[in-house]
């Protein structure tokens, strides 16, 4: 009878890194931005709720919200992982990653596409169960649907506007689900928890519009790989030059519009404007793959500055 050997520390580290690499590219795009959105929006809602004498929402204080940061991070990551595996196991994605991101798990041959598929089918139910107990089951199920649409039905390839729309909806699901975890969705009555998210329903719609109109920033450095797999993105459909002007103009508009929607003080305009202007200038003047990658990183930071606006507004009311 064969005896199963216990995996060595080196083997365990290899497999942990293999799993980690599936989500590495989206740590800044999804994990970082969604966690910041959750903590900032939840804290703003907590302050607003504390100041509103007639409020019936059972929202924890800022300290309690910050204590739930590890849960928020874990919820975002465990929902991102099967989505990314589904995306990266596709034959077209493997071909693209071999050019753009050869270090990823499958093109670097750390794991086969077949094994990744089995992992995906195991991880999706795990994400659903965890989301149920953390109170973000609705967002989790929506992410599953969006993932199938984006990856398996190739919603990301055929139409750039549809691609951006799915991205916008995905960002909102991650942000609102993470916020639900931050305010302790499972520990609050369903009626109260639902009302807490409805308070910011209009804001999540705005966030979806911001992402829809500017997320093509991520496509600028990937044009070579996207063209190789036949994916239709904004820069490949309208051209590199017009795409850069679209990004510069839309980012600039949102820099003024989002603080205005929150009726923020002048301080609320400063960070979005500074970062937005940097993105606009870099997009128009720094036209190479390396520069575009840095511009996309700045876009993620700019998005967090947009997420910060509800807190700036809440703090301005208290002073």
């Amino acid at each position: 009878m064969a005896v199963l050997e216990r995996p060595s520390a080196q083997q365990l580290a290899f497999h942990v890194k293999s799993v980690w690499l599936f989500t590495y590219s989206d740590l800044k795009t999804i994990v970082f931005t969604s966690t910041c959105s959750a903590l900032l929006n939840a804290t703003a809602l907590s302050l607003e709720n504390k100041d509103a004498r007639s409020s019936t929402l059972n929202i924890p204080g800022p300290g309690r919200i910050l204590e739930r940061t590890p849960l928020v991070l874990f919820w975002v990551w465990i929902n991102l992982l099967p989505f990314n595996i589904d995306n990266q196991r596709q034959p077209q994605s493997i071909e693209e990653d071999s050019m753009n991101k050869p270090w990823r798990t499958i093109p670097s041959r750390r794991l086969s596409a077949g094994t990744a598929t089995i992992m995906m089918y195991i991880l999706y139910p795990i994400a659903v169960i965890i989301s149920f107990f953390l109170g973000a089951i609705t967002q989790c199920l929506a992410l599953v649907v969006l993932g199938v649409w984006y990856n398996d039905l190739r919603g990301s390839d055929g139409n750039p506007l549809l691609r951006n729309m799915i991205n916008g909806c995905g960002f909102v699901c991650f942000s609102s689900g993470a916020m639900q975890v931050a305010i302790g969705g499972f520990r609050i009555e369903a009626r109260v928890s639902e009302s807490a998210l409805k308070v910011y329903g209009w804001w999540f719609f705005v966030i979806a519009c911001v992402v829809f109109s500017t997320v093509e920033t991520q496509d600028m450095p990937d044009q070579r790989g996207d063209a190789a797999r036949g994916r239709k993105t904004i820069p490949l459909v309208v051209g590199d030059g017009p795409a850069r002007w679209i990004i510069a103009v839309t980012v600039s508009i949102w820099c003024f519009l989002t603080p205005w929607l929150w009726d923020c003080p002048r301080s609320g305009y400063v960070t979005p404007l500074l970062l937005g202007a940097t993105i606009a200038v870099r997009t128009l003047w720094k036209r190479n793959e390396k520069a575009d990658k840095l511009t996309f990183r700045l876009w993620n930071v700019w998005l967090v500055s947009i997420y910060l606006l509800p807190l700036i507004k809440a703090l301005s009311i208290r002073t």
Side-chain angles (χ1 to χ4, degrees):
M1 180 180 295
V3 179
L4 294 177
E5 295 183 1
R6 179 179 299 179
S8 66
Q10 185 176 3
Q11 290 174 322
L12 185 60
F14 176 87
H15 293 306
V16 169
K17 184 177 181 180
S18 297
V19 173
W20 180 254
L21 288 175
F22 276 117
T23 57
Y24 179 75
S25 292
D26 285 324
L27 293 178
K28 61 182 183 298
T29 311
I30 300 297
V31 178
F32 171 69
T33 59
S34 299
T35 301
C36 289
S37 171
L39 299 178
L40 294 171
N41 287 329
T43 301
L45 181 60
S46 176
L47 294 177
E48 291 176 10
N49 182 69
K50 186 177 181 180
D51 291 338
R53 296 179 180 178
S54 60
S55 177
T56 59
L57 296 177
N58 183 15
I59 306 298
R64 178 58 180 158
I65 289 170
L66 289 176
E67 289 177 0
R68 296 180 68 84
T69 300
L71 280 178
V72 173
L73 282 166
F74 179 66
W75 182 86
V76 174
W77 185 78
I78 198 63
N79 280 275
L80 175 65
L81 179 57
F83 174 90
N84 277 13
I85 293 176
D86 192 13
N87 176 270
Q88 295 173 32
R89 74 187 179 94
Q90 306 292 335
Q92 303 89 346
S93 296
I94 297 173
E95 179 182 355
E96 177 188 359
D97 287 341
S98 297
M99 300 176 62
N100 290 341
K101 302 178 179 73
W103 47 263
R104 278 184 168 176
T105 305
I106 296 177
S108 63
R109 301 183 183 276
R110 300 177 70 94
L111 204 67
S112 68
T115 303
T117 301
I118 295 173
M119 284 181 59
M120 179 196 70
Y121 284 125
I122 294 173
L123 286 167
Y124 263 130
I126 291 175
V128 170
I129 293 170
I130 290 173
S131 297
F132 173 78
F133 283 106
L134 291 179
I137 184 64
T138 301
Q139 290 89 342
C140 173
L141 294 177
L143 285 169
V144 174
V145 173
L146 290 172
V148 172
W149 191 2
Y150 190 89
N151 297 317
D152 301 285
L153 301 180
R154 301 191 67 179
S156 65
D157 293 346
N159 186 307
L161 296 181
L162 178 60
R163 170 182 169 82
N164 283 18
M165 187 198 75
I166 296 175
N167 271 300
C169 292
F171 269 75
V172 166
C173 287
F174 276 113
S175 296
S176 63
M179 179 181 173
Q180 192 66 64
V181 175
I183 63 175
F186 185 65
R187 299 183 182 183
I188 301 175
E189 295 178 13
R191 176 184 60 81
V192 178
S193 177
E194 182 182 4
S195 298
L197 286 181
K198 283 183 177 179
V199 171
Y200 281 173
W202 70 272
W203 178 233
F204 287 124
F205 174 75
V206 172
I207 292 299
C209 293
V210 171
V211 174
F212 170 80
S213 58
T214 63
V215 75
E216 61 268 19
T217 308
Q218 73 175 341
D219 297 325
M220 302 307 296
D222 292 337
Q223 294 182 62
R224 185 166 56 96
D226 289 336
R229 66 174 289 174
R231 171 180 283 164
K232 294 181 179 180
T233 62
I234 294 291
L236 292 178
V237 171
V238 305
D240 182 84
R244 293 179 183 277
W245 277 103
I246 290 173
I247 293 169
V249 171
T250 52
V251 166
S252 299
I253 290 173
W254 288 118
C255 287
F256 288 96
L257 186 56
T258 48
W260 177 81
L261 288 171
W262 274 104
D263 192 23
C264 284
R266 292 180 180 178
S267 59
Y269 289 78
V270 175
T271 306
L273 277 172
L274 288 176
L275 289 170
T278 303
I279 291 169
V281 171
R282 286 186 57 86
T283 301
L284 294 175
W285 291 94
K286 299 286 187 178
R287 302 192 178 203
N288 59 75
E289 185 174 321
K290 182 178 180 180
D292 286 336
K293 288 181 178 180
L294 178 56
T295 302
F296 178 54
R297 294 191 186 99
L298 290 174
W299 179 85
N300 288 280
V301 180
W302 172 75
L303 193 61
V304 172
S305 75
I306 301 296
Y307 291 150
L308 184 60
L309 296 176
L311 183 57
I312 292 176
K313 175 61 177 178
L315 291 172
S316 70
I317 295 175
R318 295 170 65 89
T319 56

